[in-house]
């Protein structure tokens, strides 16, 4: 038997209802706040991710599914959505009609990491991006949306973590302080961090190796090196969050795993997912559009881990699974032919109707109706055809009544929609 690929998964009926409900809630929340859906390809030129996410990040160094297509061009299954959405914004010049664009997407991402609970090689994200607004108020709004979404999905124990990563103006000063610090603890760092130390010292702060984490506990913090503008922006963000009643943990060590962030970076973390504590992450990336060859337009956004939301959501799949409204228990060729006709017509009316397509006995059909959880059964045997009225049985109260055959569709609609 051929099994699915390690780290990939099927989302089966009985589980998919939770995913559908989350997607519905997320889409309606984002659309209420003016976001429009964008659909982007699953594959892009590898160059796009290298240039945006950064050559020295874990994603680009070791997690991407990259391969030459049949002509030899290097392509990559998207590991995240921001790069593609930026590419689309630039390529289609979405900024010419209005630089301010609020876009979202829902779909699969691919990263070849070690599979474990809450970590897959094909996983799903709900991603939102806002282009064209420099104000930190938009960052606040994004955090507000994430907190609201968690609340609407009955997810408890979430905490917003927040940091500022500064800007090209203040970062060089921080970078040199960090480089000095890293030299002083270099014998405690892993081989990856030793290499990153020269090329991209900020990445060292994101290392998950416990010995590196311990060595970095006393590392300098970006927050202590912010320029006046970045400081004012960060203070405004934290004050506005407080006004909205959103409690935030200022987390000096939060740097995120992608290179393009500037100023505010945030994560929604939970204590209920073990090691995989981040449910969502995001932040501002004011220079990325320009670096990708587009206009100098600021931007900010977030990505939610859909799989982790589904794990945490206080939703009960069995409450969401749709059961049939009606089972048509028909006997004899004439009854079955009439029933088949009704199954089709009732389906068009939005009434979920099932029947048995074989020659089962009435008893077997009643058993099946019960197993499927049908609210009503309509019985149509030789006797009912003779008298010209079918019997309807309420499976819960066990009450029975009859409906004349010519009135079946209207009669059933009335019973089900009452
Ligand atoms: P982590 O620290 O858990 O590796 P990340 O910083 O790599 O997360 P992002 O790139 O910011 O994650 O993606 C946003 C969200 O997508 C994460 O907060 C997480 O919920 C989810 N996510 C990331 N990688 C995976 C994965 N391999 N499987 C499932 N969900 C994931
Ligand atoms: Mg990761």
């Amino acid at each position: 038997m051929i099994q699915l690929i390690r780290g990939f998964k099927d989302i089966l009926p009985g589980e998919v209802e939770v995913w559908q409900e989350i997607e519905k809630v997320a889409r309606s929340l984002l659309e209420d706040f003016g976001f429009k859906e964008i659909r982007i390809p699953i594959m892009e030129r590898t160059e796009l991710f290298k240039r945006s996410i950064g050559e020295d990040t874990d994603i680009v160094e070791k997690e991407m599914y990259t391969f030459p297509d049949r002509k030899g061009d290097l392509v990559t299954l998207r590991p995240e959505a921001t790069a593609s959405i930026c590419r689309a914004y630039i390529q289609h010049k979405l900024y010419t009609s209005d630089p301010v664009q609020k876009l979202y997407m829902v779909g699969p991402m691919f990263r070849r990491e070690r599979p474990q609970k809450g970590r897959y090689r094909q996983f799903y994200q709900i991603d939102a991006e806002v282009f064209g607004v420099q104000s930190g108020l938009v960052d606040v709004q994004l955090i507000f949306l994430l907190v609201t979404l968690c609340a609407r999905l009955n997810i408890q124990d979430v905490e917003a973590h927040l940091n500022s990563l500064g800007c090209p103006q203040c970062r060089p000063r921080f970078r040199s302080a960090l480089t000095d610090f890293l030299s002083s603890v270099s014998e405690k760092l892993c081989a990856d961090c030793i290499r990153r130390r020269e090329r991209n010292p900020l990445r060292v702060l994101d290392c998950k190796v416990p010995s590196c984490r311990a060595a970095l506990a006393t590392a300098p913090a970006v927050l202590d090196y912010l320029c006046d503008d970045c400081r004012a922006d960060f203070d405004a963000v934290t004050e506005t969050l407080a006004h909205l009643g959103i409690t935030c943990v200022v987390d000096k060590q939060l740097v995120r795993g992608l290179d393009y962030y500037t100023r505010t970076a945030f994560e929604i973390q939970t204590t209920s997912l073990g090691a995989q504590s981040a449910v969502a992450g995001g932040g501002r990336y004011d220079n990325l559009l320009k670096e990708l060859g587009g206009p100098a337009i600021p931007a900010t956004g977030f990505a939610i881990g859909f799989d982790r939301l589904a794990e945490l959501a206080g939703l009960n799949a069995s409450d969401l699974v749709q059961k049939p409204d009606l089972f048509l228990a028909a006997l004899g060729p004439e009854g079955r032919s009439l029933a088949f006709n009704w199954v089709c017509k009732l389906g068009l009316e939005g009434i979920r109707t099932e029947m048995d397509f074989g020659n089962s006995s009435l008893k077997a059909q009643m058993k099946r109706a019960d197993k499927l959880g049908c609210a009503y059964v309509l019985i149509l045997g030789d006797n009912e055809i003779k008298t010209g009225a079918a019997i309807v049985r309420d499976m819960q109260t066990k009450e029975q009544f009859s409906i004349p055959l010519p009135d079946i569709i209207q009669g059933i609609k009335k019973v089900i929609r009452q």
Side-chain angles (χ1 to χ4, degrees):
M1 218 284 305
I2 299 172
Q3 306 263 339
L4 49 62
I5 308 170
R6 187 165 133 84
F8 287 60
K9 67 176 174 191
D10 301 308
I11 306 167
L12 302 176
E15 187 186 358
V16 83
E17 289 80 4
V18 168
W19 287 67
Q20 291 170 334
E21 180 67 15
I22 292 175
E23 189 166 333
K24 202 165 82 191
V25 173
R27 279 176 184 273
S28 101
L29 177 65
L30 288 166
E31 286 174 13
D32 286 348
F33 279 76
F35 285 79
K36 302 269 189 288
E37 183 174 4
I38 179 169
R39 298 198 180 188
I40 47 168
I42 293 224
M43 252 191 329
E44 297 271 3
R45 293 175 195 281
T46 303
E47 197 53 29
L48 175 68
F49 300 118
K50 279 197 181 169
R51 273 175 62 188
S52 53
I53 299 170
E55 299 257 10
D56 306 309
T57 57
D58 279 355
I59 296 179
V60 172
E61 272 182 351
K62 41 191 180 199
E63 295 173 1
M64 293 200 310
Y65 281 94
T66 297
F67 50 92
D69 75 358
R70 287 179 179 270
K71 284 259 171 70
D73 295 328
L74 272 191
V75 292
T76 294
L77 293 179
R78 62 183 186 202
E80 58 114 42
T82 306
S84 304
I85 298 179
C86 288
R87 191 226 2 97
Y89 179 83
I90 298 167
Q91 179 173 347
H92 305 291
K93 297 194 169 58
L94 297 186
Y95 47 87
T96 47
S97 57
D98 184 355
V100 181
Q101 300 276 340
K102 298 193 253 182
L103 304 170
Y104 80 92
M105 66 78 62
V106 183
M109 304 296 156
F110 303 84
R111 295 184 197 175
R112 201 177 187 291
E113 342 185 37
R114 195 169 72 76
Q116 51 195 295
K117 193 172 148 67
R119 193 173 289 287
Y120 308 94
R121 290 179 171 177
Q122 174 174 336
F123 61 102
Y124 294 79
Q125 284 187 340
I126 303 168
D127 184 278
E129 313 289 345
V130 179
F131 296 106
V133 189
Q134 182 64 76
S135 166
L137 289 182
V138 180
D139 304 285
V140 173
Q141 202 175 39
L142 292 177
I143 296 169
F144 174 72
L145 286 173
L146 290 172
V147 170
T148 304
L149 180 64
C150 289
R152 288 194 180 172
L153 296 174
N154 298 322
I155 298 177
Q156 269 113 38
D157 306 324
V158 288
E159 223 170 40
H161 285 235
L162 190 68
N163 195 12
S164 174
L165 301 181
C167 69
Q169 180 120 49
C170 46
R171 207 178 287 170
R173 238 168 31 91
F174 168 68
R175 199 184 148 119
S176 81
L178 181 63
T179 310
D180 290 348
F181 173 82
L182 294 176
S183 307
S184 71
V185 294
S186 61
E187 68 285 357
K188 296 181 191 140
L189 300 177
C190 71
D192 277 345
C193 284
I194 296 288
R195 191 166 39 79
R196 289 179 190 132
R197 192 183 58 172
E198 306 300 331
R199 300 179 49 167
N200 194 346
L202 249 79
R203 285 275 63 77
V204 176
L205 294 175
D206 199 38
C207 184
K208 305 271 168 17
V209 176
S211 53
C212 291
R213 296 236 57 81
L216 291 163
T218 53
V222 202
L223 281 183
D224 297 327
Y225 289 82
L226 296 183
C227 62
D228 290 348
D229 286 350
C230 286
R231 180 83 246 169
D233 174 79
F234 190 67
D235 290 344
V237 166
T238 48
E239 272 163 35
T240 318
L241 281 166
H243 281 157
L244 282 175
I246 297 172
T247 39
C248 251
V249 180
V250 173
D251 185 342
K252 289 181 173 192
Q253 299 256 343
L254 182 85
V255 287
R256 317 275 307 113
L258 302 84
D259 271 356
Y260 49 63
Y261 290 109
T262 48
R263 292 202 169 163
T264 303
F266 51 85
E267 263 179 16
I268 302 293
Q269 298 185 0
T270 171
T271 44
S272 346
L273 276 180
Q276 270 49 263
S277 59
V279 184
R284 181 161 281 283
Y285 51 96
D286 290 334
N287 305 313
L288 182 58
L289 287 169
K290 187 142 181 266
E291 280 161 20
L292 289 175
I297 290 178
T300 178
F302 64 62
I304 306 173
F306 203 146
D307 310 68
R308 295 184 194 171
L309 268 195
E311 189 88 29
L312 290 168
L315 297 172
N316 201 339
S318 55
D319 297 341
L320 296 166
V321 173
Q322 303 253 12
K323 299 213 165 123
D325 297 308
L326 180 70
F327 191 92
L328 294 184
L331 297 165
E334 205 181 330
R336 279 200 297 274
S337 141
L338 247 184
F340 180 69
N341 199 285
W342 291 340
V343 165
C344 297
K345 288 199 172 136
L346 287 166
L348 295 180
E349 298 288 342
I351 292 173
R352 292 184 295 271
T353 312
E354 297 290 338
M355 71 177 284
D356 182 296
F357 292 97
N359 280 320
S360 312
S361 66
L362 181 61
K363 193 170 160 213
Q365 294 191 51
M366 294 303 285
K367 227 168 137 181
R368 178 152 176 79
D370 207 40
K371 185 173 170 199
L372 292 174
C374 299
Y376 293 89
V377 175
L378 183 142
I379 300 163
L380 184 65
D382 290 343
N383 209 22
E384 285 72 30
I385 290 177
K386 225 181 281 161
T387 58
I391 296 170
V392 177
R393 181 179 169 88
D394 182 327
M395 295 296 276
Q396 211 161 35
T397 63
K398 312 288 180 216
E399 271 176 295
Q400 298 200 160
F401 54 93
S402 63
I403 303 179
L405 300 188
D407 304 339
I408 286 292
I409 304 291
Q410 286 313 313
I412 289 293
K413 270 169 72 179
K414 225 184 266 164
V415 171
I416 306 281
R417 303 251 165 85
Q418 68 195 346

